[in-house]
Each structure stands twice: as structure tokens, then as C-alpha cells.
């Protein structure tokens, strides 16, 4: 129904069938349903619902879903929730997008609702010495902590199933 091959394109019908498959744990359907929510095709647009389905697919190893979660868009930044330390999160707080320019902390505890630390989130935060990552975080994006020259302590919880390329590159003091 999404492609209109051999039938008329019908996003609402596609969402109906994708939902059935996604609820049974089929990763490709979870990813496709997330995409429909992201684009508002056959359902009202909802980034929160899109992220929920992308997370479920990524937890099963769906690479494209993981890439969707790692990326930070202009819309993400425009609608971000900002904590007291100047760290930007997705509205649902499931994705840590990036640290703001005002971030100068040495110690930081990531929000307990967070599931994804996006690509380049702490890029070259030279003051940062240690980070607390809560249980529940599943994904650490590419270059997430690259260049954190003073980072000496970080405990990766067992919930993390993916660490992106060079997530800790140039963290010279990390033990």
C-alpha cells in the first residue's frame, strides 16, 4: 500500500497493516511505521511516536532505524527541551541531542528518560571530566564524546547495545 505496486497507494491502509506487524515485533514494520509517523503519512505526524517505533526497531538491530535516532534535525533543535545545564533533548527527552554553547560543566548526569545519545552530542566538551549515563540508554551515537580531552570517567550501563564509530575518539584521559 505504501508503494502503490499492483494497487492504489493508500497510506492509511499501509499503517493499519504495518501496525499489526510492528506490534508483533517485526523490525522492518516498526521502522516503516516510525517513518510514517515522522512524515505524517496515513497518521497524524508525531515525532514522539516515530521515535518510539525507531527505538523498538533499532533495539532489534535495524540499522536504518538507528541512523534515524542518531541524526539531529533543525526541527529537533527548534523544538528541543533544554535542561538547567544547557543540554538539549528531544521533546520526549528520549534523545539527548547536543550540549548547548553555554555548557561548561565538569560533571554531568544524563536525564533518566534518555534512550539515545545522538551523534556529536558532547563534541569537544573540553571541561567535561565525568558523565553518568542512566540505565535505559541503549544507543551512543557516532562521535558522541569525541574530543572530550578531560573525560576520565564514564560508566557504560548494560542497557547500551550500540556504540557508534569513534564515540570516544580523542578522549585522551579516558581510562
Amino acid at each position: 500500500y505504501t508503494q502503490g505496486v499492483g494497487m492504489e497507494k493508500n497510506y492509511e491502509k499501509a499503517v493499519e497493516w504495518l501496525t499489526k506487524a510492528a506490534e508483533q515485533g517485526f523490525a522492518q514494520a516498526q521502522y516503516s511505521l516510525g517513518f510514517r509517523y515522522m512524515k505524517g503519512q496515513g497518521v497524524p505526524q508525531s515525532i514522539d511516536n516515530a521515535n518510539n517505533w525507531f527505538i523498538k526497531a533499532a533495539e532489534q538491530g535495524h540499522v536504518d532505524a538507528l541512523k534515524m535516532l542518531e541524526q539531529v534535525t533543525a526541527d529537533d533543535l527548534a523544538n528541543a527541551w533544554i535542561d538547567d545545564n544547557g543540554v538539549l533533548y528531544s521533546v520526549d527527552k528520549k534523545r539527548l541531542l547536543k550540549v548547548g554553547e553555554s555548557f561548561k560543566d565538569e560533571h554531568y548526569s544524563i536525564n533518566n528518560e534518555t534512550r539515545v545519545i545522538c551523534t556529536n552530542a558532547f563534541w569537544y566538551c573540553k571541561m567535561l571530566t565525568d558523565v553518568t549515563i542512566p540505565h535505559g540508554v541503549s544507543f551512543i551515537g557516532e562521535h558522541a564524546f569525541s574530543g572530550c580531552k578531560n573525560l576520565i570517567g564514564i560508566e557504560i550501563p548494560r542497557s547500551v547495545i550500540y556504540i557508534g564509530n569513534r564515540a570516544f575518539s580523542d578522549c585522551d584521559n579516558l581510562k
Side-chain angles (χ1 to χ4, degrees), residues 19-41:
T19 300
K20 290 178 184 191
E23 287 173 348
Q24 292 181 18
F26 185 51
Q28 181 61 39
Q30 292 168 339
Y31 167 76
S32 295
L33 192 55
F35 191 82
R36 300 292 157 243
Y37 274 106
M38 184 181 75
K39 296 291 187 183
Q41 295 176 332

Side-chain angles (χ1 to χ4, degrees), residues 129-143:
T129 59
D130 68 274
V131 177
T132 302
I133 299 176
H135 182 75
V137 168
S138 299
F139 311 100
I140 299 174
E142 294 183 7
H143 299 280

Side-chain angles (χ1 to χ4, degrees), residues 121-134:
F122 288 90
W123 179 266
Y124 281 85
C125 287
K126 294 180 181 172
M127 300 295 292
L128 190 65
T129 59
D130 68 274
V131 177
T132 302
I133 299 176

Side-chain angles (χ1 to χ4, degrees), residues 40-135:
Q41 295 176 332
V43 291
Q45 187 174 26
S46 169
I47 300 304
D48 290 348
N49 284 335
N51 285 338
N52 286 335
W53 286 114
F54 287 147
I55 286 170
K56 289 179 184 200
E59 285 174 340
Q60 295 184 70
H62 196 286
V63 175
D64 291 333
L66 180 59
K67 288 178 183 176
M68 295 302 291
L69 291 168
E70 284 185 316
Q71 295 174 8
V72 178
T73 66
D75 282 346
D76 288 330
L77 296 175
N79 297 308
W81 175 79
I82 305 172
D83 75 4
D84 293 338
N85 302 83
V87 177
L88 287 73
Y89 289 85
S90 59
V91 176
D92 63 2
K93 300 181 188 118
K94 290 184 180 176
R95 296 169 57 231
L96 188 156
L97 305 174
K98 66 178 269 184
V99 297
E101 292 181 21
S102 64
F103 183 84
K104 302 284 186 234
D105 294 20
E106 291 181 16
H107 314 283
Y108 185 71
S109 294
I110 294 172
N111 185 291
N112 285 331
E113 297 175 55
T114 303
R115 304 279 299 278
V116 177
I117 301 170
C118 292
T119 297
N120 300 327
F122 288 90
W123 179 266
Y124 281 85
C125 287
K126 294 180 181 172
M127 300 295 292
L128 190 65
T129 59
D130 68 274
V131 177
T132 302
I133 299 176
H135 182 75

